[in-house]
Amino acid sequence: MKKHLLPLLVALVALPGLAEASCYASYKAKRDNPLKLHFGVAEVGDNQCTKEAAAKALAPRLEKEGWHLLSIVAMIPEEKLGEVKADAGKYFLRY
């Protein structure tokens, strides 16, 4: 009977981590006076894996730091993050 409990326990421990999977969005943002633009990549929750949902999640985060979200450029799979890291520079996973 104990042999059957181990896989169940392992599954139960792993499930919370799976529930918190994330998506990544590349975006463009700006500040005024003086005008500054930046391209970045941000992590959003797995229930925010569309451009529209990512924009709703990310805009308030950026606004707190004085940035205005211009657009969500693309949703990026985790395995492709390395391809955009250099482009995002200091704004890679900052917000």
Side-chain angles (χ1 to χ4, degrees), residues 30-56:
K30 75 169 189 161
R31 270 188 181 158
D32 292 319
N33 298 323
L35 178 64
K36 292 183 180 181
L37 302 170
H38 86 252
F39 170 81
V41 175
E43 183 176 6
V44 295
D46 67 342
N47 61 340
Q48 300 161 331
C49 285
T50 65
K51 286 184 177 184
E52 296 80 17
K56 287 179 184 176

Side-chain angles (χ1 to χ4, degrees), residues 27-92:
Y27 66 90
K28 293 180 183 178
K30 75 169 189 161
R31 270 188 181 158
D32 292 319
N33 298 323
L35 178 64
K36 292 183 180 181
L37 302 170
H38 86 252
F39 170 81
V41 175
E43 183 176 6
V44 295
D46 67 342
N47 61 340
Q48 300 161 331
C49 285
T50 65
K51 286 184 177 184
E52 296 80 17
K56 287 179 184 176
L58 186 55
R61 292 190 231 167
L62 291 166
E63 292 289 340
K64 286 181 184 177
E65 300 291 324
W67 292 98
H68 175 73
L69 178 66
L70 296 173
S71 67
I72 298 294
V73 177
M75 300 307 296
I76 303 169
E78 188 170 7
E79 61 272 7
K80 301 277 185 175
L81 284 176
E83 297 175 16
V84 295
K85 186 174 182 176
D87 292 335
K90 69 181 184 176
Y91 298 106
F92 181 76

